Amino acid sequence: MFVNKENRPMRLRTLALALVAALLSSAAITAPARAQIEVDINRGDVKPLPVAIPAFGGQQGAEIAQVITGNLERSGLFAPIPPAAHIEKTLDVNVQPRFPDWKVLNAQALVNGQVTVEGGRLTVNFRLWDVYSEQQLLGLQFTSTPDNWRRVAHKISDAVYERLTGEKGYFDTRVVFVSESGDRLNRRKQLAIMDQDGANPSYLTDGSYIVMTPRFSSTSQEITYMALRPEGSSIYLFNLESGRRETLGNFPGMVFAPRFSPDGSRVAFSVERAGNTDIYVMDLRSRASNRLTSDPSIETSPSFSPDGARIAYNSDRGGSAQLYVMDANGGGARRISFGSGRYTTPVWSPTGEYIAFTKQEGGQFHIGIMKPDGSEERILTSSYLDEGPTWAPNGRVLMFSRETPGGAPRLWTVDVTGRIERAAPYPGSGSDPAWSPLLN
């Protein structure tokens, strides 16, 4: 369980499958002064903040520091100073660092820590320092089992990120996606899950049938996805804790593109019958389904707003694929995209501020974002084939799949400024990513 600084228990939901089976606790050690160093994340030309993260003392201390370093560096907001340049080599978490040694390296922030293992429990104490004001900004302690040290590192990364940017982190999360292997004519697709930094990958299906569009519930405990077999398609619910798998029921025609409502009580999806595709929503308690659209066109890729009141989707009712928003009951549909090209795969950001999408125009594919009213459209990426964006839980970073001519799809990330674009750490081929909420 998580424990706050007054030691009141808080419920922990694990992601099961033996990927995370440990208990975590955290306790605030100090009431930090306000940071003198801050990263202005709203500037498109933000310069990464130089930060030093020396190896933590104790068992697996070096590995924990490496995970934190990788997380912060990939965000594009921080520039970790290479350990070989560090002057102060050994730090005590209970003693102030030698700040002049870090100032000469132009380190603005310093993260140091200590790891102890006793009685089968791993405890990590860490400090975040403002080097130039010589102030401690944050001090926390995390306790877990030794095999759960990576999650501790992700939680420390989230705490540092939030303290220095004022925005929630996104490192203690998972990504579910379609792992692809084999040649184009015999492509093997398996449902897979991994930590957001590419660690601990695991397969959830055996590759004997095609899987598409996996999506997380708001609890991170359940996913929904589409399975395509020779006899037809089905939408599945898969509980990651129990391993239980069940279908949403039998539908005449092709069913695809499922997505949970924010509270996890409903699933919206598309059904294709006789060349016409409409959006339905099912109540998971009663298993009653309701048809939301009835236009003689293709309506698909439903995505709920964070408050559950509206649904974004794409439709070709106007002659080409464009983005629309309707009320969650199917009423009040209105078009929000009016640019040239085809707009598909809309997905509402967790903050509600933007809708991300795939755009096809001029022989290229793009990942873009716009306001829910269609204003402030901004293209973030362009390539031979970019598609299928998914949001990190803080609404600042997107993951998507990118394919080059003749190549296999790979996972990439980009931030909302479009400036920080890079390949995701997963080394294999993957598509259709979906980012989990922050784990508890």
Side-chain angles (χ1 to χ4, degrees):
M1 70 187 80
F2 282 116
V3 180
N4 65 9
K5 63 182 179 180
E6 289 84 24
N7 294 320
R8 292 192 296 264
M10 298 167 62
R11 184 182 174 205
L12 169 66
R13 295 182 293 240
T14 62
L15 203 51
L17 292 176
L19 295 178
V20 172
L23 298 176
L24 277 168
S25 68
S26 68
I29 295 175
T30 63
R34 178 169 176 79
Q36 301 300 310
I37 47 172
E38 294 179 343
V39 179
D40 185 354
I41 57 179
N42 296 312
R43 290 180 53 189
D45 61 344
V46 60
K47 184 177 181 180
L49 184 80
V51 57
I53 311 168
F56 287 15
Q59 182 177 332
Q60 292 186 303
E63 291 94 335
I64 289 173
Q66 288 170 1
V67 171
I68 298 168
T69 297
N71 284 336
L72 297 182
E73 191 278 329
R74 281 189 303 274
S75 77
L77 301 177
F78 302 91
I81 297 171
H86 297 176
I87 299 170
E88 186 179 14
K89 299 295 186 182
T90 304
L91 291 88
D92 186 330
V93 75
N94 296 311
V95 178
Q96 278 200 349
R98 296 200 306 263
F99 291 112
D101 288 353
W102 301 103
K103 290 178 183 178
V104 75
L105 300 177
N106 195 35
Q108 306 294 303
L110 170 67
V111 181
N112 72 308
Q114 179 67 42
V115 182
T116 57
V117 179
E118 293 182 359
R121 303 294 291 173
L122 176 144
T123 300
V124 182
N125 286 286
F126 87 94
R127 306 285 187 268
L128 170 63
W129 303 91
D130 181 334
V131 172
Y132 280 85
S133 70
E134 301 187 1
Q135 293 181 2
Q136 179 179 307
L137 304 179
L138 191 63
L140 291 175
Q141 174 179 290
F142 291 92
T143 302
S144 179
T145 55
D147 62 347
N148 208 25
W149 63 270
R150 292 190 68 92
R151 275 204 67 193
V152 173
H154 292 320
K155 285 192 166 294
I156 294 172
S157 303
D158 283 333
V160 171
Y161 182 97
E162 182 175 359
R163 189 68 182 94
L164 295 179
T165 69
E167 192 172 78
K168 287 286 186 181
Y170 56 91
F171 305 114
D172 187 26
T173 55
R174 297 281 171 79
V175 175
V176 63
F177 62 103
V178 176
S179 174
E180 302 194 21
S181 58
D183 57 43
R184 286 179 175 273
L185 298 179
N186 190 28
R187 187 64 58 89
R188 178 183 175 92
K189 296 190 175 185
Q190 293 178 265
L191 192 64
I193 191 170
M194 65 180 180
D195 296 351
Q196 57 77 30
D197 63 350
N200 298 320
S202 177
Y203 298 111
L204 307 179
T205 60
D206 62 9
S208 62
Y209 53 90
I210 295 174
V211 292
M212 300 174 66
T213 60
R215 303 290 181 255
F216 272 104
S217 73
S218 58
T219 65
S220 300
Q221 292 177 324
E222 198 165 34
I223 58 174
T224 183
Y225 64 95
M226 177 259 209
L228 180 61
R229 294 181 171 89
E231 62 269 23
S233 64
S234 302
I235 292 175
Y236 281 88
L237 301 177
F238 182 30
N239 188 293
L240 293 168
E241 282 193 326
S242 67
R244 182 186 179 193
R245 198 184 314 255
E246 58 180 320
T247 66
L248 283 188
N250 296 318
F251 294 87
M254 179 81 72
V255 291
F256 55 98
R259 192 181 294 271
F260 284 101
S261 63
D263 64 1
S265 68
R266 295 167 289 164
V267 171
F269 55 93
S270 293
V271 179
E272 186 275 331
R273 296 175 186 166
N276 183 50
T277 302
D278 284 303
I279 294 173
Y280 288 69
V281 66
M282 175 180 283
D283 185 293
L284 294 179
R285 289 183 288 266
S286 67
R287 294 304 171 102
S289 60
N290 183 34
R291 181 177 176 178
L292 301 184
T293 64
S294 57
D295 197 90
S297 57
I298 297 174
E299 272 113 6
T300 187
S301 300
S303 175
F304 285 91
S305 61
D307 61 4
R310 293 175 290 170
I311 294 176
Y313 62 103
N314 60 263
S315 171
D316 65 356
R317 66 178 64 179
S320 66
Q322 299 290 331
L323 303 186
Y324 290 77
V325 170
M326 64 180 169
D327 297 337
N329 62 7
R334 61 186 181 87
R335 180 174 167 178
I336 63 169
S337 65
F338 293 93
S340 58
R342 300 178 68 255
Y343 293 78
T344 57
T345 67
V347 56
W348 225 299
S349 73
T351 64
E353 185 177 5
Y354 294 109
I355 293 173
F357 55 86
T358 302
K359 182 176 182 177
Q360 183 182 3
E361 181 184 25
Q364 285 195 312
F365 283 75
H366 317 271
I367 301 299
I369 58 175
M370 65 173 63
K371 295 286 189 179
D373 62 2
S375 64
E376 300 184 28
E377 179 179 336
R378 186 160 72 248
I379 296 300
L380 305 179
T381 77
S382 299
S383 85
Y384 172 76
L385 181 55
D386 287 356
E387 61 181 351
T390 180
W391 291 95
N394 67 352
R396 172 147 299 272
V397 180
L398 295 118
M399 187 176 289
F400 60 97
S401 65
R402 167 170 290 177
E403 191 169 340
T404 57
R410 300 290 298 270
L411 301 179
W412 281 69
T413 60
V414 65
D415 78 329
V416 293
T417 70
R419 185 185 63 84
I420 305 168
E421 180 182 333
R422 58 190 63 195
Y426 179 67
S429 176
S431 61
D432 266 341
W435 219 313
S436 79
L438 279 171
L439 304 177
N440 287 328

Short mmCIF file of all heavy atoms in Angstrom, two decimals, residues 161-189:
data_model
loop_
_atom_site.label_atom_id
_atom_site.label_comp_id
_atom_site.label_asym_id
_atom_site.label_seq_id
_atom_site.Cartn_x
_atom_site.Cartn_y
_atom_site.Cartn_z
N TYR A 161 10.42 15.66 -11.63
CA TYR A 161 9.79 16.34 -12.76
C TYR A 161 8.73 17.32 -12.29
O TYR A 161 8.67 18.49 -12.72
CB TYR A 161 9.19 15.29 -13.69
CG TYR A 161 8.54 15.83 -14.95
CD1 TYR A 161 9.23 15.86 -16.15
CD2 TYR A 161 7.22 16.29 -14.95
CE1 TYR A 161 8.65 16.32 -17.32
CE2 TYR A 161 6.62 16.77 -16.11
CZ TYR A 161 7.34 16.78 -17.28
OH TYR A 161 6.74 17.25 -18.42
N GLU A 162 7.86 16.86 -11.39
CA GLU A 162 6.79 17.73 -10.90
C GLU A 162 7.32 18.92 -10.11
O GLU A 162 6.84 20.05 -10.25
CB GLU A 162 5.81 16.93 -10.04
CG GLU A 162 4.64 17.77 -9.54
CD GLU A 162 3.60 16.96 -8.80
OE1 GLU A 162 3.77 15.72 -8.69
OE2 GLU A 162 2.61 17.55 -8.32
N ARG A 163 8.36 18.68 -9.30
CA ARG A 163 8.90 19.77 -8.48
C ARG A 163 9.53 20.86 -9.34
O ARG A 163 9.45 22.05 -9.01
CB ARG A 163 9.94 19.22 -7.50
CG ARG A 163 10.41 20.23 -6.45
CD ARG A 163 9.26 20.55 -5.49
NE ARG A 163 9.64 21.55 -4.51
CZ ARG A 163 9.43 22.85 -4.65
NH1 ARG A 163 8.87 23.32 -5.75
NH2 ARG A 163 9.77 23.69 -3.71
N LEU A 164 10.14 20.46 -10.44
CA LEU A 164 10.87 21.43 -11.25
C LEU A 164 10.05 22.02 -12.39
O LEU A 164 10.41 23.07 -12.93
CB LEU A 164 12.15 20.80 -11.81
CG LEU A 164 13.19 20.41 -10.77
CD1 LEU A 164 14.40 19.78 -11.44
CD2 LEU A 164 13.63 21.62 -9.94
N THR A 165 8.96 21.36 -12.79
CA THR A 165 8.14 21.88 -13.88
C THR A 165 6.78 22.38 -13.42
O THR A 165 6.12 23.12 -14.14
CB THR A 165 7.90 20.81 -14.97
OG1 THR A 165 7.05 19.79 -14.44
CG2 THR A 165 9.21 20.21 -15.44
N GLY A 166 6.34 21.95 -12.24
CA GLY A 166 5.00 22.30 -11.78
C GLY A 166 3.91 21.46 -12.41
O GLY A 166 2.72 21.72 -12.20
N GLU A 167 4.29 20.43 -13.14
CA GLU A 167 3.34 19.57 -13.85
C GLU A 167 3.58 18.12 -13.47
O GLU A 167 4.72 17.72 -13.22
CB GLU A 167 3.53 19.75 -15.36
CG GLU A 167 2.45 19.15 -16.22
CD GLU A 167 2.64 19.56 -17.67
OE1 GLU A 167 3.51 18.97 -18.34
OE2 GLU A 167 1.93 20.48 -18.13
N LYS A 168 2.52 17.34 -13.40
CA LYS A 168 2.66 15.94 -13.04
C LYS A 168 3.61 15.21 -13.99
O LYS A 168 3.65 15.49 -15.19
CB LYS A 168 1.30 15.25 -13.08
CG LYS A 168 0.37 15.62 -11.93
CD LYS A 168 0.83 14.97 -10.63
CE LYS A 168 -0.17 15.24 -9.51
NZ LYS A 168 0.27 14.63 -8.23
N GLY A 169 4.34 14.26 -13.45
CA GLY A 169 5.19 13.43 -14.29
C GLY A 169 4.39 12.34 -14.98
O GLY A 169 3.18 12.24 -14.81
N TYR A 170 5.08 11.52 -15.75
CA TYR A 170 4.40 10.46 -16.51
C TYR A 170 5.27 9.21 -16.61
O TYR A 170 5.03 8.35 -17.46
CB TYR A 170 4.06 10.95 -17.91
CG TYR A 170 5.23 11.46 -18.73
CD1 TYR A 170 5.95 10.60 -19.56
CD2 TYR A 170 5.64 12.78 -18.64
CE1 TYR A 170 7.03 11.06 -20.30
CE2 TYR A 170 6.72 13.25 -19.38
CZ TYR A 170 7.41 12.39 -20.21
OH TYR A 170 8.48 12.85 -20.93
N PHE A 171 6.23 9.06 -15.71
CA PHE A 171 7.21 7.98 -15.84
C PHE A 171 6.76 6.66 -15.21
O PHE A 171 7.14 5.60 -15.69
CB PHE A 171 8.54 8.42 -15.25
CG PHE A 171 9.06 9.70 -15.86
CD1 PHE A 171 9.17 10.85 -15.09
CD2 PHE A 171 9.39 9.76 -17.20
CE1 PHE A 171 9.62 12.04 -15.65
CE2 PHE A 171 9.84 10.94 -17.77
CZ PHE A 171 9.96 12.09 -16.99
N ASP A 172 5.96 6.72 -14.16
CA ASP A 172 5.48 5.49 -13.53
C ASP A 172 4.21 5.05 -14.26
O ASP A 172 3.10 5.08 -13.73
CB ASP A 172 5.21 5.72 -12.04
CG ASP A 172 4.88 4.42 -11.32
OD1 ASP A 172 5.31 3.34 -11.78
OD2 ASP A 172 4.17 4.48 -10.29
N THR A 173 4.38 4.62 -15.49
CA THR A 173 3.27 4.26 -16.37
C THR A 173 3.65 3.07 -17.22
O THR A 173 4.81 2.68 -17.30
CB THR A 173 2.89 5.44 -17.30
OG1 THR A 173 4.05 5.85 -18.02
CG2 THR A 173 2.32 6.61 -16.52
N ARG A 174 2.67 2.52 -17.90
CA ARG A 174 2.86 1.41 -18.83
C ARG A 174 2.33 1.80 -20.20
O ARG A 174 1.52 2.72 -20.34
CB ARG A 174 2.11 0.17 -18.34
CG ARG A 174 2.63 -0.34 -17.01
CD ARG A 174 3.92 -1.15 -17.23
NE ARG A 174 4.55 -1.45 -15.96
CZ ARG A 174 4.14 -2.43 -15.15
NH1 ARG A 174 3.11 -3.17 -15.47
NH2 ARG A 174 4.77 -2.65 -14.02
N VAL A 175 2.75 1.06 -21.19
CA VAL A 175 2.24 1.21 -22.56
C VAL A 175 1.84 -0.17 -23.05
O VAL A 175 2.61 -1.12 -22.98
CB VAL A 175 3.30 1.81 -23.50
CG1 VAL A 175 2.80 1.84 -24.95
CG2 VAL A 175 3.68 3.22 -23.03
N VAL A 176 0.60 -0.27 -23.53
CA VAL A 176 0.16 -1.49 -24.21
C VAL A 176 0.17 -1.19 -25.70
O VAL A 176 -0.15 -0.08 -26.13
CB VAL A 176 -1.23 -1.94 -23.72
CG1 VAL A 176 -2.31 -0.92 -24.03
CG2 VAL A 176 -1.61 -3.30 -24.29
N PHE A 177 0.57 -2.16 -26.51
CA PHE A 177 0.76 -1.90 -27.93
C PHE A 177 0.71 -3.22 -28.70
O PHE A 177 0.59 -4.31 -28.11
CB PHE A 177 2.09 -1.19 -28.19
CG PHE A 177 3.31 -1.98 -27.80
CD1 PHE A 177 4.09 -2.62 -28.76
CD2 PHE A 177 3.69 -2.08 -26.46
CE1 PHE A 177 5.21 -3.34 -28.40
CE2 PHE A 177 4.82 -2.81 -26.09
CZ PHE A 177 5.58 -3.45 -27.06
N VAL A 178 0.79 -3.12 -30.02
CA VAL A 178 0.83 -4.31 -30.87
C VAL A 178 2.28 -4.53 -31.30
O VAL A 178 2.85 -3.72 -32.02
CB VAL A 178 -0.08 -4.15 -32.10
CG1 VAL A 178 0.05 -5.37 -33.01
CG2 VAL A 178 -1.53 -3.96 -31.67
N SER A 179 2.86 -5.60 -30.82
CA SER A 179 4.22 -5.97 -31.22
C SER A 179 4.14 -6.70 -32.55
O SER A 179 3.34 -7.64 -32.71
CB SER A 179 4.85 -6.87 -30.16
OG SER A 179 6.11 -7.35 -30.58
N GLU A 180 4.97 -6.29 -33.51
CA GLU A 180 4.92 -6.86 -34.85
C GLU A 180 6.25 -7.52 -35.21
O GLU A 180 7.32 -7.01 -34.88
CB GLU A 180 4.57 -5.79 -35.88
CG GLU A 180 3.24 -5.09 -35.59
CD GLU A 180 2.74 -4.28 -36.76
OE1 GLU A 180 3.18 -4.53 -37.90
OE2 GLU A 180 1.89 -3.38 -36.55
N SER A 181 6.15 -8.65 -35.89
CA SER A 181 7.34 -9.35 -36.35
C SER A 181 7.01 -10.10 -37.64
O SER A 181 5.84 -10.29 -37.98
CB SER A 181 7.84 -10.34 -35.28
OG SER A 181 6.82 -11.28 -34.97
N GLY A 182 8.04 -10.51 -38.37
CA GLY A 182 7.84 -11.21 -39.63
C GLY A 182 7.78 -10.25 -40.80
O GLY A 182 7.80 -9.03 -40.64
N ASP A 183 7.70 -10.80 -42.01
CA ASP A 183 7.67 -9.97 -43.19
C ASP A 183 6.26 -9.42 -43.43
O ASP A 183 5.30 -9.80 -42.75
CB ASP A 183 8.17 -10.73 -44.42
CG ASP A 183 7.38 -12.00 -44.70
OD1 ASP A 183 6.13 -11.97 -44.60
OD2 ASP A 183 7.99 -13.04 -45.02
N ARG A 184 6.13 -8.55 -44.42
CA ARG A 184 4.87 -7.86 -44.66
C ARG A 184 3.74 -8.83 -45.04
O ARG A 184 2.57 -8.57 -44.75
CB ARG A 184 5.04 -6.83 -45.78
CG ARG A 184 5.80 -5.60 -45.36
CD ARG A 184 5.96 -4.63 -46.52
NE ARG A 184 6.59 -3.39 -46.09
CZ ARG A 184 5.92 -2.36 -45.61
NH1 ARG A 184 4.61 -2.40 -45.50
NH2 ARG A 184 6.56 -1.26 -45.23
N LEU A 185 4.08 -9.91 -45.71
CA LEU A 185 3.06 -10.85 -46.17
C LEU A 185 2.68 -11.86 -45.10
O LEU A 185 1.69 -12.58 -45.25
CB LEU A 185 3.55 -11.58 -47.42
CG LEU A 185 3.84 -10.69 -48.64
CD1 LEU A 185 4.34 -11.54 -49.80
CD2 LEU A 185 2.59 -9.90 -49.03
N ASN A 186 3.46 -11.91 -44.04
CA ASN A 186 3.18 -12.87 -42.97
C ASN A 186 3.48 -12.22 -41.62
O ASN A 186 4.25 -12.73 -40.81
CB ASN A 186 4.03 -14.14 -43.16
CG ASN A 186 3.61 -15.25 -42.23
OD1 ASN A 186 2.45 -15.33 -41.81
ND2 ASN A 186 4.55 -16.12 -41.88
N ARG A 187 2.86 -11.07 -41.41
CA ARG A 187 3.14 -10.29 -40.21
C ARG A 187 2.48 -10.91 -38.97
O ARG A 187 1.28 -11.21 -38.99
CB ARG A 187 2.62 -8.86 -40.42
CG ARG A 187 2.98 -7.86 -39.32
CD ARG A 187 4.47 -7.63 -39.18
NE ARG A 187 5.11 -7.14 -40.37
CZ ARG A 187 5.23 -5.85 -40.68
NH1 ARG A 187 4.71 -4.93 -39.91
NH2 ARG A 187 5.87 -5.50 -41.77
N ARG A 188 3.25 -11.12 -37.95
CA ARG A 188 2.75 -11.67 -36.69
C ARG A 188 2.50 -10.52 -35.72
O ARG A 188 3.39 -9.70 -35.46
CB ARG A 188 3.80 -12.63 -36.10
CG ARG A 188 3.45 -13.26 -34.76
CD ARG A 188 4.62 -14.10 -34.31
NE ARG A 188 4.45 -14.66 -32.99
CZ ARG A 188 3.92 -15.86 -32.74
NH1 ARG A 188 3.52 -16.61 -33.75
NH2 ARG A 188 3.81 -16.32 -31.50
N LYS A 189 1.29 -10.42 -35.21
CA LYS A 189 0.91 -9.33 -34.32
C LYS A 189 0.48 -9.87 -32.97
O LYS A 189 -0.44 -10.68 -32.89
CB LYS A 189 -0.21 -8.50 -34.94
CG LYS A 189 0.20 -7.79 -36.23
CD LYS A 189 -0.85 -6.79 -36.68
CE LYS A 189 -0.39 -6.00 -37.89
NZ LYS A 189 -1.34 -4.94 -38.28
#
